Amino acid sequence: MTDMAAAAESYGLVIGGREAPGNRGETRNVLDPATNQPFAEVAVADTADAHHAMEAAEAAFRESNWATDDGARRSKALLALARLLEERQELFARLETRNMGKTLRESRIDVGFVVRTLEYISGLADKIQGETIPVPGSRFDYTIREPLGVTVHISPWNYPLLLALRSVVPALAAGNAVVLKPASLTPLTAISFARLAHDAGVPDGILNVVNGPGGAIGEALVRDPRCRSVSFTGSSEVGLKIAEIAASRLLPVTLELGGKSPVLVFPDADLDRAARGIGQGIFGNAGQMCWAASRLAVHESVRDALMERLKKIAEATKVGPGLEDGAEMGPVVSREQEARVLEFIETARHDGGKVVAGGGKASDPRLAAGNFVLPTVVADLPAASRVVREEIFGPVLAAVSFSDADDAVRIANDTAYGLFASVWTRDLATAHTIARRLEAGMVSVNEPPTTFPQTPFGGFKQSGVGFEQGLRVVENYTRRKNILVNLGATKRKA
Ligand code: NAD
């Protein structure tokens, strides 16, 4: 990689295998959420850069043999990327923590997940195949799966590298050329990853990264006539806009959107395990998870016992800079996000909620310059409260109680979203019957939000369309073609 790659804390746009400043030379300071101090500078694209990236991708798709070569070549390249990333796991984890704020432990897990994704998907690149279909007469019918061409990927800031690559890797495996627009707040690990592509054997122009404002650059990419599919992870609001543009051009989309995921605790649950799992599900990543288990519904008979445990867990969670030893919860990503979370906590109080733990900014003066919000638990909110209905994207749990299983299912499904739900019970029948009644793309039993590259990830209702991950994900980035051949043979005589 050339030019800007040499300067340690300076990041460019990666287009056609070159890293360079944007068309207008504009740059933006990248802030560390633990201090709000700048630590890096990144190039900002304009729409001319976006179109340039699409042009470079299309040229690479047509002119390199990435798509036409044996899939084993792509498999090897993805595996090589897995090794290159693994060798740099600590560097990437530290960069992710500085850029996004999450703890180093969390960033290490994220980078490890990407390595596993590359390994898992690499094994699929040479197994993309069609079928033969019996048809009448002297004919032969079969299908093939072809890459789409240039695929556009737009990703959010909460798992910057992981969510960018979750869709990029299968698109590459299928032979596409990719243009990725990471979230403007957190583009550094995606750019750093693209720097590895050439050495792994990915032809220049097959993986392009353009950083810039979503409204301008994201839309320009989706509207570009060379765009053949869009994979978007982000808010439901922006997802809807993208769906509208894509519909007007009949582009296939995968939309991974927001959530307000319920966690149901039945009276026979192991309350200690449940409390720990609930803590992970809402305080992990400082609550900035699309599938944060942010609405707790607990059976009234165990409500007090569970709330006591949750209060202890929230108060014992060590809040601090992500790079600091022992930090269990880092800052939220930006001042704006902090203000949003604090505003929700105020609304909770205003709506009559009882703050059981946390309830504001961390008071430790050492943390004053960063975006540190305390792990917060609020009980007894009315079902209509915005705090119960809207995605907060911060470490705030809203708790209510239920009287029986029907009540629990009604509360769980009473949301516009349908991404994830979890059930805590020791009873097998309760676990399976409730899991089937929940309107969510993913349900876990006695487990906090947990996923693997091999398990599908996707939501119902306002949480999205389609899925990422899993054995069939590569098909998202292919199109199926049916080929019917008349063999011209004369009819055999009886
Ligand atoms: P966001 O929707 O504001 O931004 C996501 C991406 O879209 C960013 O890259 C942004 O620059 C871009 N963008 C913004 N406006 C655009 C437009 N008009 N056209 C094209 N692109 C545009 O989301 P965010 O604040 O970065 O992330 C948080 C949201 O993402 C939450 O709602 C969260 O639930 C969701 N999310 C969902 C999943 C999932 O898998 N379902 C995973 C993580 C995050």
Side-chain angles (χ1 to χ4, degrees):
M1 191 86 355
T2 53
D3 308 336
M4 297 185 69
E9 298 284 332
S10 192
Y11 296 77
L13 312 176
V14 181
I15 300 179
R18 280 191 77 237
E19 184 170 351
N23 178 44
R24 285 188 303 196
E26 200 186 318
T27 60
R28 198 173 65 75
N29 278 334
V30 182
L31 306 184
D32 179 339
T35 59
N36 285 305
Q37 291 303 308
F39 71 97
E41 192 184 63
V42 63
V44 178
D46 67 3
T47 51
D49 293 309
H51 294 304
H52 180 202
M54 297 297 285
E55 190 184 353
E58 198 185 55
F61 181 73
R62 267 190 284 105
E63 289 157 22
S64 79
N65 41 15
W66 181 246
T68 49
D69 256 8
D70 180 13
R73 175 196 173 183
R74 297 192 297 275
S75 178
K76 276 188 190 146
L78 294 178
L79 215 45
L81 276 170
R83 296 288 75 83
L84 290 172
L85 181 61
E86 194 171 40
E87 284 161 15
R88 294 159 180 75
Q89 181 153 1
E90 194 60 18
L91 277 175
F92 271 79
R94 287 186 167 270
L95 185 61
E96 197 78 304
T97 289
R98 281 205 93 187
N99 193 175
M100 190 274 166
K102 64 178 70 192
T103 64
L104 194 51
R105 184 181 158 273
E106 290 171 322
S107 292
R108 286 178 182 139
I109 292 173
D110 290 3
V111 180
F113 189 97
V114 177
V115 171
R116 271 300 298 138
T117 300
L118 284 158
E119 290 169 347
Y120 178 75
I121 299 287
S122 73
L124 300 176
D126 57 353
K127 295 168 192 68
I128 301 169
Q129 56 194 32
E131 47 194 357
T132 57
I133 301 172
V135 286
S138 176
R139 297 181 182 91
F140 174 52
D141 191 281
Y142 65 101
T143 63
I144 54 172
R145 284 200 169 268
E146 300 175 334
L148 299 168
V150 179
T151 59
V152 165
H153 305 253
I154 301 176
S155 55
W157 46 257
N158 58 337
Y159 290 84
L161 184 69
L162 191 161
L163 291 177
L165 289 183
R166 181 171 74 168
S167 68
V168 162
V169 175
L172 291 176
N176 297 284
V178 159
V179 178
L180 164 66
K181 197 209 82 63
S184 345
L185 283 175
T186 56
L188 303 190
T189 45
I191 296 169
S192 304
F193 182 84
R195 290 173 179 171
L196 305 176
H198 181 82
D199 285 349
V202 178
D204 290 348
I206 290 292
L207 173 56
N208 306 278
V209 182
V210 281
N211 169 59
I217 304 307
E219 275 202 44
L221 294 175
V222 178
R223 288 189 190 280
D224 188 288
R226 289 160 287 215
C227 170
R228 289 284 169 265
S229 87
V230 187
S231 172
F232 172 81
T233 306
S235 60
S236 296
E237 193 192 350
V238 176
L240 269 172
K241 270 192 207 164
I242 291 192
E244 278 170 18
I245 303 171
S248 71
R249 303 197 37 221
L250 296 181
L251 290 177
V253 288
T254 307
L255 301 174
E256 296 283 1
L257 310 177
K260 189 73 185 178
S261 299
V263 40
L264 304 180
V265 180
F266 285 85
D268 64 330
D270 175 337
L271 291 187
D272 289 326
R273 265 186 75 196
R276 281 196 302 275
I278 295 165
Q280 285 174 39
I282 187 64
F283 305 139
N285 217 34
Q288 301 159 111
M289 293 181 276
C290 53
W291 62 343
S294 52
R295 282 190 301 137
L296 166 66
V298 51
H299 190 267
E300 54 203 13
S301 65
V302 290
R303 175 193 182 278
D304 292 350
L306 184 68
M307 294 311 281
E308 215 171 278
R309 286 168 170 79
L310 285 172
K311 179 176 163 62
K312 273 195 194 140
I313 287 172
E315 289 175 351
T317 301
K318 190 161 179 282
V319 178
L323 287 177
E324 203 168 276
D325 267 354
E328 291 170 332
M329 195 180 92
V332 296
V333 72
S334 64
R335 271 278 187 246
E336 291 71 30
Q337 189 62 16
E338 181 191 79
R340 177 184 158 83
V341 177
L342 295 176
E343 193 263 323
F344 268 106
I345 295 173
E346 277 323 298
T347 305
R349 288 199 173 91
H350 178 264
D351 290 351
K354 181 175 162 226
V355 176
V356 176
K361 208 170 150 49
S363 56
D364 182 344
R366 257 180 357 105
L367 305 180
N371 316 317
F372 293 94
V373 180
L374 292 172
T376 297
V377 180
V378 186
D380 305 334
L381 278 163
S385 169
R386 280 180 55 225
V387 182
V388 176
R389 309 204 76 78
E390 293 179 20
E391 183 176 47
I392 299 174
F393 234 53
V396 181
L397 178 69
V400 296
S401 43
F402 67 81
S403 51
D404 58 27
D406 287 344
D407 196 24
V409 170
R410 184 191 55 73
I411 292 169
N413 291 340
D414 182 19
T415 167
Y417 295 109
L419 190 57
F420 169 75
S422 69
V423 183
W424 294 85
T425 177
R426 285 189 174 105
D427 183 71
L428 213 53
T430 305
H432 289 286
T433 51
I434 298 293
R436 285 169 190 227
R437 293 176 66 191
L438 295 172
E439 290 172 356
M442 296 168 287
V443 178
S444 76
V445 177
N446 296 332
E447 173 97 27
T450 303
T451 186
F452 301 96
Q454 59 268 43
T455 55
F457 195 110
F460 299 165
K461 295 153 78 178
Q462 294 296 302
S463 291
V465 173
F467 67 91
E468 298 289 357
Q469 303 177 197
L471 193 59
R472 301 186 62 181
V473 67
V474 175
E475 290 180 8
N476 284 357
Y477 303 100
T478 64
R479 57 187 186 189
R480 190 165 57 168
K481 180 180 281 176
N482 189 75
I483 299 176
L484 176 68
V485 184
N486 189 317
L487 299 173
T490 46
K491 264 192 186 161
R492 261 184 297 166
K493 288 203 177 107

